[in-house]
Amino acid sequence: MYWDRAAETMDRRDLERLQLERLNATLQRAAHAPYYRDLHGARGAGPLPSLVDIAGLPFTTKADLRDHFPYGFLAVPMEDVVRLHSSSGTTGNPTVIYHTRADIEAWADLAARSMYMTGVRKADVFQNMMGYGLFTGGIGLHYGAERLGALTIPIGPGNSKRQLWFMRQFRTTVVHILPSYALRLATFFAETSIDPRKDLALRIAFIGAEPHTEETRRRIEQVWGIKVYNSYGLSEMCGPGVAFECPEQNGMHLWEDHFILEIVDPDTGRVLPEGEWGELVLTSLARAATPLIRYRTRDLTRILPGPCACGRTHRRIDRIRGRSDDMLIINGVNLFPMQVERTLMREPAIGSNYLIEVHEENFMDRLHVKVELRQEAFEGTLAELEHLAARVTDELTAELGVTPVVKLLEAGSLPAAEGKAVRVVDLRKSGGKGA
Ligand code: DLL
Protein backbone atom coordinates (compact mmCIF):
# COMPACT_ATOMS: atom_id res chain seq x y z
CA MET A 1 0.00 0.00 0.00
CA TYR A 2 2.93 2.36 0.68
CA TRP A 3 5.89 2.94 -1.61
CA ASP A 4 7.95 4.23 1.33
CA ARG A 5 6.08 3.42 4.53
CA ALA A 6 8.61 5.08 6.85
CA ALA A 7 8.52 8.38 4.96
CA GLU A 8 4.79 8.43 4.23
CA THR A 9 3.53 7.55 7.71
CA MET A 10 6.21 9.29 9.76
CA ASP A 11 5.05 10.59 13.12
CA ARG A 12 4.35 14.34 12.80
CA ARG A 13 6.94 15.26 15.41
CA ASP A 14 9.64 13.28 13.60
CA LEU A 15 8.52 14.74 10.29
CA GLU A 16 8.81 18.27 11.64
CA ARG A 17 12.22 17.52 13.10
CA LEU A 18 13.34 16.24 9.71
CA GLN A 19 11.91 19.34 8.04
CA LEU A 20 13.86 21.67 10.33
CA GLU A 21 17.07 19.75 9.74
CA ARG A 22 16.55 19.81 5.97
CA LEU A 23 15.49 23.45 6.00
CA ASN A 24 18.71 24.50 7.72
CA ALA A 25 20.76 22.42 5.28
CA THR A 26 18.84 24.06 2.41
CA LEU A 27 19.54 27.56 3.75
CA GLN A 28 23.23 26.72 3.81
CA ARG A 29 23.19 25.32 0.30
CA ALA A 30 21.12 28.22 -1.02
CA ALA A 31 23.83 30.63 0.11
CA HIS A 32 25.91 29.35 -2.82
CA ALA A 33 23.38 30.81 -5.28
CA PRO A 34 24.18 34.46 -6.14
CA TYR A 35 20.60 35.57 -5.46
CA TYR A 36 20.39 34.15 -1.92
CA ARG A 37 24.01 35.08 -1.13
CA ASP A 38 23.16 38.71 -1.86
CA LEU A 39 19.89 38.45 0.05
CA HIS A 40 21.11 36.72 3.21
CA GLY A 41 24.80 37.66 3.14
CA ALA A 42 27.72 35.29 2.60
CA ARG A 43 27.02 33.29 5.78
CA GLY A 44 23.50 32.50 4.62
CA ALA A 45 20.33 33.04 6.62
CA GLY A 46 21.89 31.10 9.54
CA PRO A 47 20.25 28.09 11.15
CA LEU A 48 16.69 28.63 12.36
CA PRO A 49 15.81 27.40 15.87
CA SER A 50 12.33 26.26 14.86
CA LEU A 51 10.12 25.77 11.82
CA VAL A 52 7.85 28.72 12.53
CA ASP A 53 10.86 31.02 12.17
CA ILE A 54 10.68 30.49 8.43
CA ALA A 55 7.99 33.20 8.46
CA GLY A 56 10.76 35.72 9.09
CA LEU A 57 12.50 34.97 5.78
CA PRO A 58 11.66 36.92 2.62
CA PHE A 59 9.55 35.38 -0.14
CA THR A 60 10.92 34.35 -3.52
CA THR A 61 8.76 35.18 -6.56
CA LYS A 62 8.62 34.24 -10.21
CA ALA A 63 9.78 37.77 -11.00
CA ASP A 64 12.92 37.13 -8.91
CA LEU A 65 13.61 34.00 -10.97
CA ARG A 66 13.16 35.95 -14.19
CA ASP A 67 15.23 38.92 -13.06
CA HIS A 68 18.17 36.67 -12.16
CA PHE A 69 18.12 34.64 -15.33
CA PRO A 70 20.03 32.54 -16.18
CA TYR A 71 22.28 31.54 -13.24
CA GLY A 72 21.21 33.69 -10.27
CA PHE A 73 19.52 30.77 -8.49
CA LEU A 74 22.07 28.10 -9.33
CA ALA A 75 23.56 26.75 -6.08
CA VAL A 76 25.95 24.06 -7.37
CA PRO A 77 28.87 24.11 -9.83
CA MET A 78 27.76 23.79 -13.44
CA GLU A 79 29.45 20.40 -13.80
CA ASP A 80 27.03 18.93 -11.24
CA VAL A 81 23.98 19.95 -13.27
CA VAL A 82 22.49 17.27 -15.51
CA ARG A 83 19.29 18.88 -16.76
CA LEU A 84 17.28 22.08 -16.91
CA HIS A 85 13.59 22.75 -17.32
CA SER A 86 12.27 26.08 -18.39
CA SER A 87 8.94 27.79 -18.73
CA SER A 88 8.42 30.80 -20.91
CA GLY A 89 5.96 33.46 -19.93
CA THR A 90 4.39 35.93 -22.30
CA THR A 91 6.83 38.64 -21.26
CA GLY A 92 10.45 38.84 -20.16
CA ASN A 93 12.99 36.10 -19.55
CA PRO A 94 11.93 32.50 -19.13
CA THR A 95 12.40 30.88 -15.73
CA VAL A 96 15.01 28.16 -15.52
CA ILE A 97 15.22 25.36 -12.96
CA TYR A 98 18.36 23.20 -12.80
CA HIS A 99 18.65 19.63 -11.56
CA THR A 100 21.54 17.54 -10.30
CA ARG A 101 21.45 13.77 -10.71
CA ALA A 102 20.30 13.50 -7.09
CA ASP A 103 17.50 16.04 -7.73
CA ILE A 104 16.23 13.91 -10.62
CA GLU A 105 16.45 10.76 -8.48
CA ALA A 106 14.50 12.37 -5.64
CA TRP A 107 11.85 13.64 -8.06
CA ALA A 108 11.48 10.20 -9.70
CA ASP A 109 11.04 8.71 -6.26
CA LEU A 110 8.29 11.19 -5.34
CA ALA A 111 6.55 10.49 -8.65
CA ALA A 112 6.74 6.72 -8.02
CA ARG A 113 5.48 7.23 -4.45
CA SER A 114 2.53 9.24 -5.74
CA MET A 115 1.55 6.77 -8.44
CA TYR A 116 2.00 3.73 -6.19
CA MET A 117 -0.32 5.40 -3.66
CA THR A 118 -3.21 5.25 -6.14
CA GLY A 119 -2.64 1.57 -6.88
CA VAL A 120 -0.28 1.58 -9.88
CA ARG A 121 1.93 -1.52 -9.88
CA LYS A 122 4.61 -3.17 -12.02
CA ALA A 123 2.08 -5.02 -14.14
CA ASP A 124 0.39 -1.79 -15.26
CA VAL A 125 0.70 -0.23 -18.69
CA PHE A 126 1.15 3.52 -18.38
CA GLN A 127 0.31 5.72 -21.38
CA ASN A 128 1.79 9.14 -20.74
CA MET A 129 -0.18 11.74 -22.70
CA MET A 130 1.49 14.76 -21.10
CA GLY A 131 3.91 16.82 -23.16
CA TYR A 132 7.59 15.88 -23.11
CA GLY A 133 10.25 18.56 -23.33
CA LEU A 134 10.88 21.68 -21.31
CA PHE A 135 7.46 21.17 -19.69
CA THR A 136 7.86 18.84 -16.70
CA GLY A 137 4.54 17.00 -17.07
CA GLY A 138 5.64 14.18 -19.38
CA ILE A 139 9.13 13.43 -18.20
CA GLY A 140 8.25 13.80 -14.49
CA LEU A 141 5.84 10.88 -14.23
CA HIS A 142 7.75 8.99 -16.93
CA TYR A 143 10.71 8.56 -14.59
CA GLY A 144 8.35 7.69 -11.73
CA ALA A 145 6.55 5.02 -13.72
CA GLU A 146 9.80 3.42 -14.86
CA ARG A 147 11.11 3.43 -11.32
CA LEU A 148 7.91 1.73 -10.24
CA GLY A 149 8.41 -0.82 -12.99
CA ALA A 150 5.30 -0.19 -15.10
CA LEU A 151 5.48 -0.51 -18.88
CA THR A 152 5.71 3.15 -19.92
CA ILE A 153 4.51 4.48 -23.28
CA PRO A 154 5.95 7.98 -23.85
CA ILE A 155 3.34 8.96 -26.42
CA GLY A 156 2.85 12.61 -25.46
CA PRO A 157 -0.36 14.58 -26.14
CA GLY A 158 -2.62 14.84 -29.18
CA ASN A 159 -3.60 12.59 -32.09
CA SER A 160 -6.61 10.94 -30.47
CA LYS A 161 -6.78 8.20 -33.09
CA ARG A 162 -3.26 7.09 -32.30
CA GLN A 163 -3.90 7.34 -28.55
CA LEU A 164 -6.84 5.02 -28.93
CA TRP A 165 -4.85 2.61 -31.09
CA PHE A 166 -2.13 2.35 -28.41
CA MET A 167 -4.72 1.95 -25.65
CA ARG A 168 -6.24 -0.98 -27.49
CA GLN A 169 -3.06 -2.64 -28.70
CA PHE A 170 -1.21 -2.56 -25.38
CA ARG A 171 -4.23 -2.79 -23.04
CA THR A 172 -3.28 0.48 -21.34
CA THR A 173 -4.42 0.57 -17.71
CA VAL A 174 -3.18 3.98 -16.51
CA VAL A 175 -3.06 7.34 -18.29
CA HIS A 176 -1.60 10.74 -17.46
CA ILE A 177 -3.46 13.51 -19.22
CA LEU A 178 -4.45 17.17 -19.09
CA PRO A 179 -8.04 17.47 -17.84
CA SER A 180 -8.95 19.59 -20.90
CA TYR A 181 -7.64 16.84 -23.19
CA ALA A 182 -9.42 14.12 -21.18
CA LEU A 183 -12.69 15.92 -21.87
CA ARG A 184 -11.96 16.21 -25.58
CA LEU A 185 -10.92 12.58 -25.80
CA ALA A 186 -14.24 11.65 -24.18
CA THR A 187 -15.98 13.37 -27.09
CA PHE A 188 -13.76 11.45 -29.50
CA PHE A 189 -14.76 8.17 -27.82
CA ALA A 190 -18.42 9.07 -28.30
CA GLU A 191 -17.88 10.04 -31.97
CA THR A 192 -16.11 6.78 -32.73
CA SER A 193 -18.64 4.72 -30.72
CA ILE A 194 -15.99 3.53 -28.27
CA ASP A 195 -17.27 2.49 -24.88
CA PRO A 196 -14.17 2.76 -22.68
CA ARG A 197 -15.74 0.41 -20.10
CA LYS A 198 -16.12 -2.41 -22.62
CA ASP A 199 -13.49 -1.70 -25.25
CA LEU A 200 -10.53 -0.58 -23.13
CA ALA A 201 -8.64 -1.86 -20.07
CA LEU A 202 -8.26 1.52 -18.36
CA ARG A 203 -8.39 1.75 -14.54
CA ILE A 204 -6.76 5.01 -13.51
CA ALA A 205 -6.05 8.51 -14.83
CA PHE A 206 -3.87 11.23 -13.35
CA ILE A 207 -4.91 14.74 -14.25
CA GLY A 208 -3.23 18.00 -13.39
CA ALA A 209 -1.10 20.86 -14.69
CA GLU A 210 -4.13 23.11 -15.12
CA PRO A 211 -7.00 24.18 -12.88
CA HIS A 212 -10.12 22.05 -13.07
CA THR A 213 -13.18 21.49 -10.93
CA GLU A 214 -14.56 18.52 -9.02
CA GLU A 215 -17.38 18.48 -11.62
CA THR A 216 -14.81 18.00 -14.40
CA ARG A 217 -13.16 15.16 -12.52
CA ARG A 218 -16.53 13.46 -12.03
CA ARG A 219 -17.41 13.86 -15.66
CA ILE A 220 -14.13 12.27 -16.77
CA GLU A 221 -14.67 9.44 -14.27
CA GLN A 222 -18.16 8.82 -15.59
CA VAL A 223 -17.40 8.89 -19.30
CA TRP A 224 -14.16 6.93 -19.04
CA GLY A 225 -15.45 4.59 -16.33
CA ILE A 226 -12.23 4.90 -14.28
CA LYS A 227 -10.80 6.49 -11.14
CA VAL A 228 -9.32 9.95 -11.74
CA TYR A 229 -6.71 11.36 -9.36
CA ASN A 230 -5.70 14.98 -9.02
CA SER A 231 -1.98 15.68 -9.25
CA TYR A 232 -0.39 19.01 -8.39
CA GLY A 233 3.08 20.24 -9.09
CA LEU A 234 5.13 23.05 -10.57
CA SER A 235 8.45 23.21 -12.38
CA GLU A 236 9.96 25.42 -9.72
CA MET A 237 9.72 22.59 -7.14
CA CYS A 238 10.45 19.78 -9.69
CA GLY A 239 7.16 19.17 -11.56
CA PRO A 240 4.37 16.64 -10.98
CA GLY A 241 4.85 14.74 -7.70
CA VAL A 242 4.60 17.65 -5.25
CA ALA A 243 1.06 16.86 -4.02
CA PHE A 244 -1.18 13.96 -5.05
CA GLU A 245 -4.51 12.43 -4.10
CA CYS A 246 -4.65 9.12 -2.27
CA PRO A 247 -7.55 6.66 -2.75
CA GLU A 248 -9.57 8.62 -0.15
CA GLN A 249 -9.71 11.49 -2.70
CA ASN A 250 -10.12 14.08 0.01
CA GLY A 251 -7.45 16.56 -1.01
CA MET A 252 -3.83 16.10 -2.09
CA HIS A 253 -1.10 14.94 0.28
CA LEU A 254 1.74 17.41 -0.08
CA TRP A 255 5.02 15.55 0.45
CA GLU A 256 6.25 17.39 3.50
CA ASP A 257 9.55 15.54 3.78
CA HIS A 258 10.51 17.36 0.55
CA PHE A 259 8.64 20.67 0.85
CA ILE A 260 7.58 23.09 3.56
CA LEU A 261 4.00 24.14 3.07
CA GLU A 262 2.61 27.53 4.07
CA ILE A 263 -0.62 29.29 3.15
CA VAL A 264 -0.39 33.08 3.17
CA ASP A 265 -2.72 35.98 2.61
CA PRO A 266 -1.93 36.96 -1.01
CA ASP A 267 -2.22 40.67 -0.22
CA THR A 268 -0.38 40.96 3.09
CA GLY A 269 1.84 37.84 3.03
CA ARG A 270 0.67 36.94 6.56
CA VAL A 271 0.76 33.20 7.30
CA LEU A 272 -2.80 31.84 7.62
CA PRO A 273 -4.02 29.04 9.89
CA GLU A 274 -5.14 25.60 8.72
CA GLY A 275 -8.46 25.63 6.89
CA GLU A 276 -8.19 29.20 5.57
CA TRP A 277 -7.92 29.85 1.83
CA GLY A 278 -4.85 31.68 0.62
CA GLU A 279 -1.77 31.44 -1.57
CA LEU A 280 0.41 28.34 -1.39
CA VAL A 281 4.05 29.09 -0.52
CA LEU A 282 6.59 26.29 -0.84
CA THR A 283 10.16 25.78 0.29
CA SER A 284 12.17 22.95 -1.23
CA LEU A 285 13.94 20.75 1.33
CA ALA A 286 15.91 18.26 -0.71
CA ARG A 287 16.89 20.05 -3.87
CA ALA A 288 20.52 20.85 -4.58
CA ALA A 289 20.77 22.71 -7.90
CA THR A 290 17.95 25.24 -7.47
CA PRO A 291 16.77 25.38 -3.86
CA LEU A 292 13.89 27.83 -3.43
CA ILE A 293 12.92 29.45 -0.18
CA ARG A 294 9.35 30.56 0.47
CA TYR A 295 8.40 30.47 -3.20
CA ARG A 296 5.08 32.16 -3.94
CA THR A 297 3.20 29.79 -6.24
CA ARG A 298 0.23 32.19 -6.80
CA ASP A 299 -1.98 29.09 -6.48
CA LEU A 300 -4.97 29.45 -4.17
CA THR A 301 -5.79 26.60 -1.84
CA ARG A 302 -6.03 25.73 1.86
CA ILE A 303 -4.71 23.10 4.24
CA LEU A 304 -7.40 20.54 5.02
CA PRO A 305 -7.46 19.87 8.75
CA GLY A 306 -7.51 16.42 10.35
CA PRO A 307 -5.81 13.10 9.70
CA CYS A 308 -6.42 11.02 6.56
CA ALA A 309 -7.86 7.51 6.76
CA CYS A 310 -5.08 6.25 4.46
CA GLY A 311 -2.59 6.57 7.32
CA ARG A 312 -0.29 9.05 5.63
CA THR A 313 0.73 11.87 7.92
CA HIS A 314 1.59 14.46 5.27
CA ARG A 315 -1.01 17.22 5.29
CA ARG A 316 -3.48 17.65 2.46
CA ILE A 317 -4.19 20.70 0.35
CA ASP A 318 -7.55 21.37 -1.29
CA ARG A 319 -8.10 21.41 -5.05
CA ILE A 320 -6.50 24.55 -6.53
CA ARG A 321 -9.27 27.11 -6.83
CA GLY A 322 -7.37 29.30 -9.27
CA ARG A 323 -4.38 31.57 -9.30
CA SER A 324 -4.29 34.85 -7.47
CA ASP A 325 -3.52 36.46 -10.83
CA ASP A 326 -6.37 34.89 -12.82
CA MET A 327 -9.21 36.53 -10.96
CA LEU A 328 -11.39 38.55 -13.32
CA ILE A 329 -13.01 41.81 -12.31
CA ILE A 330 -16.18 42.35 -14.31
CA ASN A 331 -17.76 45.75 -13.63
CA GLY A 332 -16.35 45.53 -10.12
CA VAL A 333 -17.46 41.95 -9.44
CA ASN A 334 -14.62 39.47 -8.70
CA LEU A 335 -14.84 36.02 -10.21
CA PHE A 336 -12.66 33.04 -11.06
CA PRO A 337 -12.79 31.08 -14.32
CA MET A 338 -13.28 27.89 -12.28
CA GLN A 339 -16.71 29.14 -11.20
CA VAL A 340 -17.73 29.14 -14.86
CA GLU A 341 -16.34 25.65 -15.38
CA ARG A 342 -18.12 24.28 -12.30
CA THR A 343 -21.48 25.50 -13.61
CA LEU A 344 -20.91 24.31 -17.18
CA MET A 345 -19.78 20.81 -16.22
CA ARG A 346 -23.00 20.23 -14.28
CA GLU A 347 -25.01 20.58 -17.49
CA PRO A 348 -25.11 17.26 -19.38
CA ALA A 349 -25.79 18.86 -22.80
CA ILE A 350 -22.52 20.76 -22.64
CA GLY A 351 -19.55 19.17 -24.38
CA SER A 352 -15.85 19.28 -23.74
CA ASN A 353 -14.57 22.75 -24.51
CA TYR A 354 -15.38 26.30 -23.49
CA LEU A 355 -13.87 29.77 -23.68
CA ILE A 356 -14.45 32.87 -21.59
CA GLU A 357 -14.05 36.20 -23.38
CA VAL A 358 -14.18 39.58 -21.73
CA HIS A 359 -15.26 42.42 -24.00
CA GLU A 360 -15.68 46.13 -23.50
CA GLU A 361 -19.05 47.34 -24.79
CA ASN A 362 -20.19 50.95 -24.31
CA PHE A 363 -17.58 51.45 -21.57
CA MET A 364 -18.91 48.45 -19.65
CA ASP A 365 -17.32 45.02 -19.23
CA ARG A 366 -19.23 42.21 -20.84
CA LEU A 367 -18.58 38.53 -20.16
CA HIS A 368 -19.04 36.16 -23.10
CA VAL A 369 -19.08 32.42 -22.45
CA LYS A 370 -18.69 30.26 -25.55
CA VAL A 371 -19.45 26.60 -25.02
CA GLU A 372 -19.37 23.57 -27.25
CA LEU A 373 -22.39 21.27 -27.06
CA ARG A 374 -22.52 17.53 -27.33
CA GLN A 375 -23.51 16.54 -30.84
CA GLU A 376 -26.99 15.24 -29.86
CA ALA A 377 -27.77 18.47 -28.03
CA PHE A 378 -26.55 20.61 -30.91
CA GLU A 379 -28.89 18.81 -33.29
CA GLY A 380 -31.92 19.74 -31.15
CA THR A 381 -34.63 22.16 -32.33
CA LEU A 382 -34.12 25.91 -32.23
CA ALA A 383 -36.56 26.17 -29.33
CA GLU A 384 -34.61 23.56 -27.37
CA LEU A 385 -31.35 25.40 -28.00
CA GLU A 386 -32.84 28.72 -26.91
CA HIS A 387 -34.20 27.10 -23.80
CA LEU A 388 -30.79 25.58 -23.02
CA ALA A 389 -29.00 28.92 -23.56
CA ALA A 390 -31.44 30.64 -21.22
CA ARG A 391 -30.97 27.98 -18.53
CA VAL A 392 -27.14 28.12 -18.73
CA THR A 393 -27.28 31.93 -18.59
CA ASP A 394 -29.43 31.78 -15.45
CA GLU A 395 -27.16 29.25 -13.77
CA LEU A 396 -24.03 31.26 -14.57
CA THR A 397 -25.69 34.46 -13.34
CA ALA A 398 -26.58 32.78 -10.05
CA GLU A 399 -23.01 31.49 -9.60
CA LEU A 400 -21.13 34.60 -10.74
CA GLY A 401 -23.33 37.54 -9.85
CA VAL A 402 -22.80 38.77 -13.42
CA THR A 403 -25.02 38.01 -16.43
CA PRO A 404 -22.94 36.60 -19.29
CA VAL A 405 -23.72 36.36 -22.98
CA VAL A 406 -23.85 32.60 -23.62
CA LYS A 407 -23.05 31.26 -27.09
CA LEU A 408 -23.70 27.61 -27.83
CA LEU A 409 -21.43 26.10 -30.48
CA GLU A 410 -20.96 22.86 -32.33
CA ALA A 411 -18.29 20.47 -31.01
CA GLY A 412 -14.85 21.24 -32.43
CA SER A 413 -15.50 24.92 -33.17
CA LEU A 414 -13.33 26.37 -30.41
CA PRO A 415 -9.53 26.32 -30.59
CA ALA A 416 -8.05 23.27 -28.83
CA ALA A 417 -4.50 23.60 -27.56
CA GLU A 418 -2.21 20.60 -27.35
CA GLY A 419 -0.72 22.04 -24.16
CA LYS A 420 -2.50 23.66 -21.26
CA ALA A 421 -5.93 24.99 -22.24
CA VAL A 422 -6.41 28.72 -22.66
CA ARG A 423 -9.75 29.37 -20.95
CA VAL A 424 -9.84 33.16 -20.77
CA VAL A 425 -9.25 35.85 -23.36
CA ASP A 426 -9.44 39.39 -22.05
CA LEU A 427 -10.19 41.74 -24.96
CA ARG A 428 -10.60 44.89 -22.88
CA LYS A 429 -8.26 47.73 -23.79
CA SER A 430 -7.14 47.90 -20.17
CA GLY A 431 -6.74 44.10 -20.07
CA GLY A 432 -8.94 44.29 -16.98
CA LYS A 433 -6.20 46.03 -14.98
CA GLY A 434 -8.25 48.91 -13.67
CA ALA A 435 -10.75 50.90 -15.68
O1 DLL B 1 2.17 21.94 -14.65
C1 DLL B 1 3.58 20.39 -13.45
C2 DLL B 1 2.55 19.33 -13.59
C3 DLL B 1 2.52 18.54 -14.72
C4 DLL B 1 1.65 19.08 -12.56
C5 DLL B 1 1.58 17.53 -14.83
C6 DLL B 1 0.71 18.07 -12.67
C7 DLL B 1 0.67 17.28 -13.81
P1 DLL B 1 4.20 24.12 -14.58
O2 DLL B 1 4.08 24.05 -16.06
O3 DLL B 1 5.38 24.79 -13.99
O4 DLL B 1 4.23 22.66 -13.98
O5 DLL B 1 2.86 24.78 -14.05
C8 DLL B 1 2.61 24.85 -12.69
O6 DLL B 1 0.21 24.68 -13.06
O7 DLL B 1 1.48 26.63 -10.37
C9 DLL B 1 -0.65 25.62 -11.09
O8 DLL B 1 -1.04 26.93 -11.39
C10 DLL B 1 -0.97 24.72 -12.27
N1 DLL B 1 -1.28 23.37 -11.79
C11 DLL B 1 -0.48 22.30 -11.74
N2 DLL B 1 -1.15 21.22 -11.27
C12 DLL B 1 -2.42 21.63 -11.00
C13 DLL B 1 -3.60 21.00 -10.50
C14 DLL B 1 3.23 21.71 -14.10
N3 DLL B 1 -3.65 19.71 -10.17
C15 DLL B 1 1.24 25.47 -12.46
N4 DLL B 1 -4.70 21.76 -10.35
C16 DLL B 1 0.87 25.53 -11.00
C17 DLL B 1 -4.68 23.07 -10.69
C18 DLL B 1 -2.49 23.00 -11.33
N5 DLL B 1 -3.62 23.70 -11.17
Side-chain angles (χ1 to χ4, degrees), residues 230-252:
N230 192 2
S231 147
Y232 171 81
L234 62 166
S235 329
E236 293 89 328
M237 292 294 133
C238 58
V242 173
F244 224 89
E245 276 182 332
C246 71
E248 301 292 324
Q249 295 192 306
N250 55 356
M252 296 177 278

Side-chain angles (χ1 to χ4, degrees), residues 33-45:
Y35 176 79
Y36 288 118
R37 192 174 51 224
D38 293 348
L39 191 69
H40 301 303
R43 284 191 303 113

Side-chain angles (χ1 to χ4, degrees), residues 327-378:
M327 187 178 76
L328 288 167
I329 306 178
I330 307 295
N331 299 322
V333 178
N334 299 353
L335 59 95
F336 284 99
M338 282 304 104
Q339 292 176 271
V340 174
E341 180 173 307
R342 190 182 311 145
T343 308
L344 295 180
M345 289 302 144
R346 272 191 223 125
E347 173 58 60
I350 282 173
S352 50
N353 206 352
Y354 70 93
L355 182 67
I356 300 167
E357 280 178 1
V358 192
H359 294 251
E360 210 168 83
E361 290 165 12
N362 300 324
F363 305 104
M364 295 288 283
D365 302 330
R366 197 79 163 115
L367 191 71
H368 290 233
V369 179
K370 297 179 165 176
V371 285
E372 290 184 2
L373 292 187
R374 296 160 78 113
Q375 200 54 33
E376 317 85 82
F378 191 77

Side-chain angles (χ1 to χ4, degrees), residues 85 97 99 103 107 110 136 140 233-242 259 287:
H85 281 279
I97 301 295
H99 301 258
D103 289 338
W107 177 16
L110 284 185
T136 54
L234 62 166
S235 329
E236 293 89 328
M237 292 294 133
C238 58
V242 173
F259 308 100
R287 294 182 46 76

Side-chain angles (χ1 to χ4, degrees), residues 171-340:
R171 308 296 294 157
T172 299
T173 52
V174 183
V175 296
H176 184 208
I177 185 167
L178 286 169
S180 53
Y181 187 41
L183 288 173
R184 273 193 283 131
L185 209 48
T187 307
F188 178 77
F189 289 155
E191 282 165 9
T192 43
S193 305
I194 293 292
D195 178 352
R197 284 181 178 75
K198 282 212 271 36
D199 305 328
L200 305 174
L202 295 176
R203 299 194 295 123
I204 293 174
F206 304 126
I207 59 171
E210 56 185 18
H212 58 281
T213 57
E214 181 60 32
E215 286 73 11
T216 296
R217 182 243 291 275
R218 266 193 241 125
R219 183 180 272 219
I220 301 168
E221 285 193 330
Q222 265 164 22
V223 179
W224 288 55
I226 54 175
K227 273 292 210 194
V228 174
Y229 293 95
N230 192 2
S231 147
Y232 171 81
L234 62 166
S235 329
E236 293 89 328
M237 292 294 133
C238 58
V242 173
F244 224 89
E245 276 182 332
C246 71
E248 301 292 324
Q249 295 192 306
N250 55 356
M252 296 177 278
H253 290 280
L254 195 137
W255 299 124
E256 292 185 88
D257 51 340
H258 283 255
F259 308 100
I260 288 181
L261 149 66
E262 296 173 272
I263 302 290
V264 306
D265 179 319
D267 298 324
T268 64
R270 191 172 61 88
V271 177
L272 298 175
E274 253 183 30
E276 280 189 35
W277 286 92
E279 180 181 338
L280 177 66
V281 170
L282 293 173
T283 298
S284 68
L285 291 178
R287 294 182 46 76
T290 317
L292 291 178
I293 297 159
R294 303 198 83 204
Y295 183 70
R296 295 196 61 156
T297 66
R298 299 267 152 209
D299 294 320
L300 301 174
T301 182
R302 59 178 173 160
I303 298 173
L304 293 165
C308 182
C310 76
R312 289 176 184 82
T313 48
H314 300 240
R315 286 178 298 172
R316 292 163 292 124
I317 55 167
D318 209 334
R319 181 178 292 288
I320 307 293
R321 183 194 259 181
R323 293 173 59 80
S324 53
D325 43 13
D326 70 12
M327 187 178 76
L328 288 167
I329 306 178
I330 307 295
N331 299 322
V333 178
N334 299 353
L335 59 95
F336 284 99
M338 282 304 104
Q339 292 176 271
V340 174

Side-chain angles (χ1 to χ4, degrees), residues 120-163:
V120 180
R121 297 291 180 271
K122 279 162 81 82
D124 275 299
V125 178
F126 174 60
Q127 190 161 327
N128 194 359
M129 303 188 204
M130 283 280 179
Y132 281 76
L134 290 173
F135 173 54
T136 54
I139 209 165
L141 287 203
H142 179 106
Y143 273 51
E146 284 190 352
R147 170 159 302 209
L148 207 154
L151 168 59
T152 304
I153 308 178
I155 191 164
N159 196 340
S160 303
K161 224 167 129 184
R162 192 165 56 133
Q163 299 287 359

